[in-house]
Amino acid sequence: KTNNDTFKLRYLQIFSEGLEDPQLWTAYNKYLYDYSHTKKDSLHVYATASALNNMGYEQQFIYNDLAAAKNYYRQADTLYRSINHYAGVGVIINNLAYISQHEGNLQEAIELYVEAGKLFEKENQPLGLTSIYINLGDIYFQNDELNNAETFFKKALFYAQKTKQETTIANVYNQLAVVAGKKNDTKTAIDYYLKGYAIYAKNKVYSRMSLMNIGLANSYASLKDTQQYVKCITDAYRASLLSTDMQIKVRVYNKVVLMCILKKDLKKAALFADSAYRFSKQINYPELIAEAALNVSNVAREKGNYMQAYDYLREYQRINDTIHSNTIRN
């Protein structure tokens, strides 16, 4: 009801960013954009850029439309630059880098992350720096440079703790847990996963609860603890039912396939494998498509469908070779 635009726009931004319901979040971002974009003073331009950034995020993570996401991000970038809001520019560059990373353009992603990091450093943005170091750590992790990955994730934890945002800290715990697992330090990995899970459970972040349970399942599998492994996969699946994050659903489904094969339930394994493959194609994430294709191949082989198994194995190998050919150039 206020006529003060400073208050109105600020509260709209805070409110829309805090919404968990995708439909309400979309509606309020559109309202913020409609209210702000017709005026050209710096206050309204900033609000419009913020709304466009959120609309890009919506296209990227809810509708999996990367082309539309890039379009919104670039519009926001132009507006942030027009008012010299370089922290906002850093956010946009970071978002574009994330898309490049998951499209397999690693060198481009690194260059964009470094550019965004310099802006965040200059603007004293610990949350932005946390995101940059997480994403850089992930790239080095994907290239099996575990020490570099761990270094970046520990830098991310340092800045995350400065933000005092619990879920951000939990996200870094997850990254550190994954590295510890890869280094065969299973005890440390489980400790990090449990720390992350406790935070996500407290805040009811179901997609990330699923992710932590997947990590715990992998850890217990390495310890040959079948009972805990099955429990964690089951808990991951239950949490994923309450999440709208398609990437998380694919990751969980891929793990459910393995659990079903372990239980010799090939009918259910085939259903989850087919769903994971179909959804991974929709979100166009090469790593997950490869994993899903391998699962379809494995299930087909277990059922005696050797031609189908061979076809999907070839797809897995082709995608996997492409992923690993996009190595970091020093």
Side-chain angles (χ1 to χ4, degrees):
K1 294 180 180 179
T2 180
N3 292 319
N4 186 314
D5 272 4
T6 301
F7 287 143
K8 193 178 191 87
L9 292 171
R10 182 62 183 146
Y11 286 131
L12 273 172
Q13 285 176 272
I14 293 171
F15 186 65
S16 63
E17 288 172 5
L19 288 167
E20 293 289 340
D21 185 295
Q23 290 181 322
L24 279 177
W25 189 70
T26 298
Y28 273 92
N29 276 315
K30 186 177 186 304
Y31 180 44
L32 177 61
Y33 176 79
D34 290 342
Y35 187 83
S36 62
H37 83 280
T38 56
K39 297 181 181 179
K40 303 304 178 186
D41 60 280
S42 59
L43 173 67
H44 287 80
V45 169
Y46 171 76
T48 304
S50 178
L52 285 166
N53 175 51
N54 288 342
M55 289 157 77
Y57 188 93
E58 171 194 343
Q59 291 298 322
Q60 182 178 354
F61 291 102
I62 296 178
Y63 298 112
N64 303 301
D65 188 337
L66 298 186
K70 289 177 186 178
N71 182 43
Y72 281 120
Y73 288 148
R74 285 167 182 153
Q75 290 181 62
D77 180 70
T78 299
L79 292 180
Y80 278 134
R81 289 180 189 275
S82 73
I83 57 173
N84 298 319
H85 195 285
Y86 291 107
V89 174
V91 169
I92 298 303
I93 294 173
N94 187 31
N95 291 344
L96 289 168
Y98 187 82
I99 291 177
S100 293
Q101 177 183 345
H102 290 285
E103 287 179 330
N105 301 321
L106 299 186
Q107 193 63 34
E108 178 181 82
I110 290 173
E111 290 168 2
L112 289 171
Y113 284 137
V114 170
E115 182 182 351
K118 288 177 181 177
L119 291 172
F120 288 140
E121 194 89 50
K122 183 179 178 182
E123 299 294 321
N124 189 27
Q125 296 287 318
L127 185 59
L129 286 165
T130 301
S131 178
I132 292 296
Y133 286 128
I134 286 174
N135 293 334
L136 282 170
D138 186 51
I139 287 178
Y140 284 102
F141 176 81
Q142 295 300 328
N143 282 270
D144 291 323
E145 297 187 32
L146 299 182
N147 290 334
N148 282 335
E150 186 175 26
T151 296
F152 280 118
F153 290 146
K154 285 185 174 178
K155 285 183 179 180
L157 183 61
F158 172 78
Y159 285 106
Q161 289 170 335
K162 282 182 174 254
T163 72
K164 297 182 180 178
Q165 293 190 13
E166 287 189 329
T167 54
T168 300
I169 295 168
N171 187 26
V172 185
Y173 281 143
N174 174 55
Q175 308 299 331
L176 286 166
V178 172
V179 173
K182 191 80 170 179
K183 295 173 91 172
N184 297 316
D185 187 353
T186 306
K187 183 177 180 299
T188 299
I190 289 173
D191 183 55
Y192 279 133
Y193 281 130
L194 289 174
K195 285 180 178 178
Y197 180 83
I199 293 172
Y200 287 132
K202 174 185 172 184
N203 291 277
K204 297 182 179 179
V205 185
Y206 298 110
S207 62
R208 309 303 288 185
M209 289 166 64
S210 291
L211 196 63
M212 294 298 105
N213 271 307
I214 289 173
L216 284 166
N218 291 337
S219 298
Y220 286 120
S222 69
L223 295 175
K224 302 189 186 309
D225 189 334
T226 303
Q227 185 177 353
Q228 284 295 325
Y229 170 79
V230 171
K231 178 184 181 301
C232 290
I233 294 295
T234 303
D235 288 347
Y237 174 66
R238 287 172 179 163
S240 75
L241 295 175
L242 300 171
S243 170
T244 59
D245 190 322
M246 289 297 294
Q247 186 183 133
I248 295 298
K249 286 183 184 293
V250 173
R251 291 185 184 278
V252 171
Y253 284 12
N254 277 328
K255 295 301 179 185
V256 172
V257 173
L258 299 180
M259 182 182 74
C260 291
I261 292 175
L262 181 68
K263 290 182 167 184
K264 305 296 184 185
D265 188 346
L266 298 184
K267 184 177 179 180
K268 189 176 289 186
L271 287 172
F272 278 101
D274 289 341
S275 295
Y277 180 76
R278 187 172 67 255
F279 292 151
S280 66
K281 287 278 191 176
Q282 287 177 16
I283 63 177
N284 193 30
Y285 191 159
E287 177 194 340
L288 294 180
I289 296 171
E291 185 179 357
L294 181 60
N295 276 341
V296 174
S297 175
N298 288 336
V299 173
R301 188 186 69 242
E302 290 288 326
K303 294 174 73 174
N305 299 331
Y306 298 114
M307 186 58 71
Q308 183 187 34
Y310 176 71
D311 289 341
Y312 279 96
L313 182 60
R314 285 189 65 187
E315 181 176 8
Y316 160 75
Q317 289 173 334
R318 177 180 57 77
I319 297 170
N320 202 44
D321 288 346
T322 301
I323 292 170
H324 288 288
S325 71
N326 286 316
T327 54
I328 302 168
R329 297 191 302 271
N330 293 316

